[in-house]
Amino acid sequence: MTPRRQTPRVPVTSPAAATVFTTVLTEGPVSRVDVARRTGLSSAAVTKAARPLIEAGYLTELDSATTGVGRPASPLEVVADREFFVGVKITHDELIGVVTDLRARIRVSGHLPLTSRKVDAVVSNVGELVTELLKAPRYRERTSTVGVTVAGDVDPASGHVRYSPFLHWRDVPLAELVAEVTGLEATVGNDVKAITVAEQWFGAGVGAPSFALVTLGTGIGCGLVINGDVVTGSHGVAGEIGHIPVSGDGPLCHCGATGCVEAIASTDAIVAQARTATGEPGLTMAEVITGARLGDVALRRVFARAGVAIGRGLAAMANLTGPERIIVSGEGLDAYDLFADEIRETFATHAFGAAAECELILRPLPFEEWARGAAAIAVRTLFLS
Amino acid sequence: MTPRRQTPRVPVTSPAAATVFTTVLTEGPVSRVDVARRTGLSSAAVTKAARPLIEAGYLTELDSATTGVGRPASPLEVVADREFFVGVKITHDELIGVVTDLRARIRVSGHLPLTSRKVDAVVSNVGELVTELLKAPRYRERTSTVGVTVAGDVDPASGHVRYSPFLHWRDVPLAELVAEVTGLEATVGNDVKAITVAEQWFGAGVGAPSFALVTLGTGIGCGLVINGDVVTGSHGVAGEIGHIPVSGDGPLCHCGATGCVEAIASTDAIVAQARTATGEPGLTMAEVITGARLGDVALRRVFARAGVAIGRGLAAMANLTGPERIIVSGEGLDAYDLFADEIRETFATHAFGAAAECELILRPLPFEEWARGAAAIAVRTLFLS
């Protein structure tokens, strides 16, 4: 592995600098006066915080004439190509990787099937994919950080994957291993929380201080942003909407409890219930979806039950945390038409008072978006170093 | 009503000043160096922010000799008597009022039974109680703000009580009415969220960036602090743990849904289920508790079911928001021995992974504490003006 850290990190040395940089990154181009207004900082503090960022080439002042505004506003803008970032999402059978710029816009992308789920093999595959993604010198020379995400319980602070159900990993020091094999600084995170960061800064979460991103599929996950911060949980657990108990007599969940949303509405749970309902042990998810669309009553009932469980989970979240909107995504959206009514009706029934005003937004996220989430947590290290 | 605003407000004119004042208020006495370390502000910024607060008499520099520290640290401390605050909690049958100092320490307290639940009568009673509480000139002269809290949906920004189920109020401009009758600046809030502010600053929440306070009783409410902020909800609804759907076939709730925690575990719900179970329509809560303690199987089952519902609600909250600890309080604690085991066991079963490390802390809060919460939101107006 050849790439080594090429770039000195951005001089974000104070909370004010982080605030200014984030504001310009997510809302720019924006004038110093507007940055001051939006952040509560004084104009002098904005100017002081912006100076080293401009000197280091991360921010630039646009010619005020180019903005079409009469007065000399000199808006600040991010220099998106100043640094690039690698993002890699590890799924149960492949790696998805991207190179993005500072704004998390995808510049290069690639896939690599996993040869095995063993830690050494996966890490080695990550090394291969990163080398491939960075083969153009223009990207390699300006990249110093890789973000890697995985479903499960990940501790960004220590860089450890504590538990990944789909990879069967426990307590793997993934950040360290990836840094070793790539020569880049590495940061790791939960896949859903990472994509939530990307949505917060560059997607459907922009302008919403509080929102939730819920993913339906093999697992049912959730990233939660409250008052502008991704909620990480005091004990490292948060957003586990899949493990809200919504039914007293629901099926047993892999977590050991009964009645979890995930035990009723994950892809596996839907297939299992469909097999039981039809007595056909070989049914696949595709067949279950097709059968339900063709009107099979037993299969439709399975989806209806899943929709009720999801709707209850969403209502529990809205009642507790009050997001402005809930973005629903994940590969489970493929079957959304089969439980959309139950989800919406159940949510409306259980949302308390004004919580019913919380919008449900469907947003399909192609697989590359998951790798972009991984790149977004790499971008975020600029503020944490 | 004689008291008029006597005191010019504290000069908290910048986010830095608010941060410094909050830090000294909740953690003082504390040196400038420590304030800088804890807040991320520069020492110069701390000194600059503290100066007008010292000049206005809200902060003072302790003689470093008095702290027993060798070097001249000159810790900053709040002058607790610089300003006093009135807090009034409105229950369904009485007012509870206190006068506190800046640290929300109770200096005077009093009760007044409501003569009626009509808005005019209640507001008039609030005026009487405030006059009584402030009859000593030393308090009256240094008091300019009253906080009033009530159970239900309250919008602090507009000063309106949108809905109070126990008072049968809808859209009452309470802040305006109270300001008129008392001559004080008035702020209003939900009672549980207000007591959460008091716990965050001066109680069991100190040092916990994320915690929840759950109250059991006539209603089941919750105040939620995440990353240091009380969660208020984008649509004004948050912390509604009483309306999490935890059972598919639970009883009908007053909110219109079925299976809510509150429909199974509130005082009224327990009494209703006990009456049905025993066939005794006249049973009171006291009799239900006594009977259950004496071993009545049907009554014990009612409490067990309530405990399971509460435990599920707590687990849903811990899984979603990851609080460091959950403080359980409210008049429902009187019967806590009757469902403690079910609450703890159900919580442990449904808490996902490390969420089980979230502590459950019992904390009885005497009624005066509710009025202290109302005073705490009055203290908080110092930072919002």
Side-chain angles (χ1 to χ4, degrees), chain B residues 25-37:
Chain B
L25 184 64
T26 58
E27 303 178 39
V30 55
S31 71
R32 286 187 174 77
V33 174
D34 281 343
V35 173
R37 195 175 44 75

Side-chain angles (χ1 to χ4, degrees), chain B residues 24 30 34 37 39-40 80-81 126 134 158 201 207 212 222 228 232 241 246 264 271 278 297 333 339 343 353 356 363:
Chain B
V24 179
V30 55
D34 281 343
R37 195 175 44 75
T39 59
D81 280 8
V126 169
L134 292 179
S158 69
W201 281 358
C222 171
T232 53
I241 194 171
V246 291
I264 303 169
V271 171
T278 57
V297 175
L333 282 196
F339 47 36
I343 291 177
R363 177 145 154 68

Side-chain angles (χ1 to χ4, degrees), chain A residues 47-370:
Chain A
T47 297
K48 189 180 159 199
R51 194 176 306 126
L53 293 163
I54 293 171
E55 284 166 6
Y58 284 86
L59 294 187
T60 186
E61 281 182 288
L62 298 184
D63 186 350
S64 50
T66 65
T67 66
V69 181
R71 62 204 170 83
S74 303
L76 294 169
E77 171 65 306
V78 162
V79 182
D81 280 9
R82 174 63 182 81
E83 187 170 338
F84 297 103
F85 300 85
V86 182
V88 177
K89 148 102 179 192
I90 308 176
T91 76
H92 69 289
D93 62 358
E94 69 165 352
L95 303 177
I96 310 153
V98 295
V99 177
T100 77
D101 63 21
L102 255 173
R103 284 194 181 281
R105 284 181 301 211
I106 296 174
R107 308 292 281 264
V108 182
S109 69
H111 290 240
L112 189 68
L114 291 179
T115 49
S116 134
R117 287 181 201 165
K118 289 213 176 100
V119 174
D120 288 355
V122 172
V123 168
S124 166
N125 286 339
V126 170
E128 281 168 56
L129 180 60
V130 171
T131 301
E132 175 68 22
L133 290 166
L134 292 180
K135 70 176 179 236
R138 60 177 308 226
Y139 295 123
R140 192 168 63 238
E141 284 161 10
R142 291 193 187 176
T143 299
S144 63
T145 313
V146 54
V148 182
T149 62
V150 56
D153 182 2
V154 182
D155 181 31
S158 69
H160 281 227
V161 175
R162 285 190 289 227
Y163 174 53
S164 164
F166 307 126
L167 295 167
H168 308 293
W169 288 2
R170 282 199 185 270
D171 209 37
V172 172
L174 187 62
E176 196 186 318
L177 296 171
V178 168
E180 214 163 275
V181 77
T182 61
L184 300 173
E185 189 172 324
T187 185
V188 300
N190 169 275
D191 57 348
V192 179
K193 288 186 181 63
I195 210 164
T196 305
V197 170
E199 287 296 298
Q200 178 188 20
W201 282 358
F202 309 108
V206 172
S210 297
F211 72 94
L213 180 125
V214 174
T215 58
L216 307 178
T218 315
I220 294 185
C222 171
L224 203 54
V225 171
I226 295 182
N227 293 331
D229 292 317
V230 177
V231 179
T232 55
S234 302
H235 304 283
V237 173
E240 291 292 350
I241 194 172
H243 299 284
I244 291 185
V246 291
S247 168
D249 57 355
L252 185 67
C253 183
H254 63 84
C255 77
T258 55
C260 294
V261 174
E262 195 162 297
I264 303 168
S266 73
T267 306
D268 288 354
I270 288 172
V271 171
Q273 292 167 93
R275 288 173 178 174
T276 305
T278 57
E280 293 179 41
L283 271 185
T284 64
M285 185 62 174
E287 290 163 347
V288 176
I289 292 175
T290 307
R293 286 210 179 111
L294 290 173
D296 182 299
V297 175
L299 294 180
R300 291 195 74 91
R301 204 174 290 137
V302 169
F303 278 103
R305 192 176 179 214
V308 169
I310 293 166
R312 284 188 190 152
L314 297 179
M317 184 168 63
N319 293 350
L320 276 176
T321 68
E324 187 169 329
R325 59 188 77 138
I326 297 175
I327 304 156
V328 182
S329 189
E331 75 265 22
L333 283 195
D334 296 348
Y336 199 76
D337 56 301
L338 293 168
F339 46 36
D341 289 350
E342 286 79 7
I343 291 176
R344 289 189 183 276
E345 278 162 25
T346 308
F347 178 76
T349 301
H350 289 284
F352 185 67
E357 291 166 25
C358 172
E359 277 180 289
L360 299 187
I361 298 173
L362 299 191
R363 176 145 155 67
L365 293 169
F367 267 103
E368 277 176 0
E369 292 288 315
W370 290 89

Side-chain angles (χ1 to χ4, degrees), chain A residues 237 240 243-245 255-257 260, chain B residues 311-312 314-320 326 343-358 360:
Chain A
V237 173
E240 291 292 350
H243 299 284
I244 291 185
C255 77
C260 294
Chain B
R312 283 187 191 152
L314 297 179
M317 183 169 62
N319 293 349
L320 276 176
I326 298 174
I343 291 177
R344 288 188 183 276
E345 278 162 25
T346 308
F347 179 76
T349 300
H350 288 285
F352 184 67
E357 291 166 26
C358 172
L360 300 186

Side-chain angles (χ1 to χ4, degrees), chain B:
Chain B
M1 295 298 99
T2 46
R4 280 275 150 198
R5 177 194 265 255
Q6 307 289 339
T7 331
R9 297 321 290 273
V10 61
V12 176
T13 52
S14 69
T19 302
V20 169
F21 193 40
T22 310
T23 305
V24 179
L25 184 64
T26 58
E27 303 178 39
V30 55
S31 71
R32 286 187 174 77
V33 174
D34 281 343
V35 173
R37 195 175 44 75
R38 291 178 205 181
T39 59
L41 292 168
S42 70
S43 290
V46 173
T47 297
K48 188 179 161 201
R51 193 176 305 126
L53 293 162
I54 293 171
E55 283 166 6
Y58 284 86
L59 294 186
T60 187
E61 281 182 288
L62 297 184
D63 185 350
S64 49
T66 65
T67 66
V69 181
R71 64 207 168 80
S74 302
L76 293 169
E77 172 65 308
V78 161
V79 182
D81 280 8
R82 175 63 183 80
E83 186 169 339
F84 297 103
F85 300 84
V86 182
V88 176
K89 147 103 180 192
I90 307 176
T91 77
H92 68 289
D93 62 357
E94 69 164 352
L95 303 177
I96 311 152
V98 294
V99 177
T100 76
D101 63 21
L102 254 173
R103 284 193 180 284
R105 283 180 302 212
I106 296 174
R107 307 291 282 263
V108 181
S109 70
H111 290 241
L112 189 67
L114 291 179
T115 49
S116 133
R117 287 180 202 165
K118 290 211 177 103
V119 174
D120 287 355
V122 171
V123 168
S124 166
N125 287 158
V126 169
E128 281 169 55
L129 180 60
V130 171
T131 302
E132 174 66 21
L133 290 167
L134 292 179
K135 71 175 177 235
R138 59 178 308 222
Y139 296 125
R140 191 169 65 239
E141 285 162 10
R142 292 194 186 176
T143 299
S144 63
T145 314
V146 55
V148 182
T149 63
V150 57
D153 182 2
V154 183
D155 181 30
S158 69
H160 281 227
V161 174
R162 286 191 288 228
Y163 173 53
S164 165
F166 308 126
L167 295 168
H168 308 293
W169 288 2
R170 283 197 185 271
D171 209 36
V172 173
L174 187 62
E176 195 186 319
L177 296 171
V178 168
E180 214 163 278
V181 75
T182 62
L184 300 173
E185 188 173 325
T187 185
V188 299
N190 168 276
D191 57 348
V192 178
K193 288 186 181 61
I195 210 165
T196 304
V197 170
E199 287 295 298
Q200 179 188 20
W201 281 358
F202 310 107
V206 172
S210 298
F211 74 94
L213 181 126
V214 174
T215 58
L216 308 178
T218 315
I220 295 185
C222 171
L224 204 54
V225 171
I226 295 183
N227 294 330
D229 292 317
V230 177
V231 179
T232 53
S234 302
H235 304 283
V237 172
E240 290 292 351
I241 194 171
H243 299 283
I244 291 184
V246 291
S247 168
D249 56 355
L252 185 68
C253 184
H254 64 85
C255 76
T258 55
C260 295
V261 174
E262 196 163 296
I264 303 169
S266 73
T267 305
D268 286 355
I270 288 172
V271 171
Q273 292 168 92
R275 287 173 178 173
T276 306
T278 57
E280 292 177 42
L283 271 185
T284 65
M285 185 62 173
E287 290 163 346
V288 176
I289 292 175
T290 306
R293 287 212 178 110
L294 290 171
D296 183 298
V297 175
L299 295 179
R300 290 196 75 92
R301 206 175 287 138
V302 169
F303 278 104
R305 192 176 177 214
V308 168
I310 293 166
R312 283 187 191 152
L314 297 179
M317 183 169 62
N319 293 349
L320 276 176
T321 67
E324 188 170 328
R325 59 187 77 138
I326 298 174
I327 305 157
V328 182
S329 191
E331 75 266 23
L333 282 196
D334 297 348
Y336 199 76
D337 57 301
L338 293 168
F339 47 36
D341 289 349
E342 286 79 8
I343 291 177
R344 288 188 183 276
E345 278 162 25
T346 308
F347 179 76
T349 300
H350 288 285
F352 184 67
E357 291 166 26
C358 172
E359 277 178 288
L360 300 186
I361 297 173
L362 300 190
R363 177 145 154 68
L365 293 169
F367 266 103
E368 277 177 358
E369 292 288 316
W370 290 89
R372 183 172 171 251
I377 63 167
V379 174
R380 197 172 54 170
T381 62
L382 290 174
F383 306 99
L384 306 174
S385 52

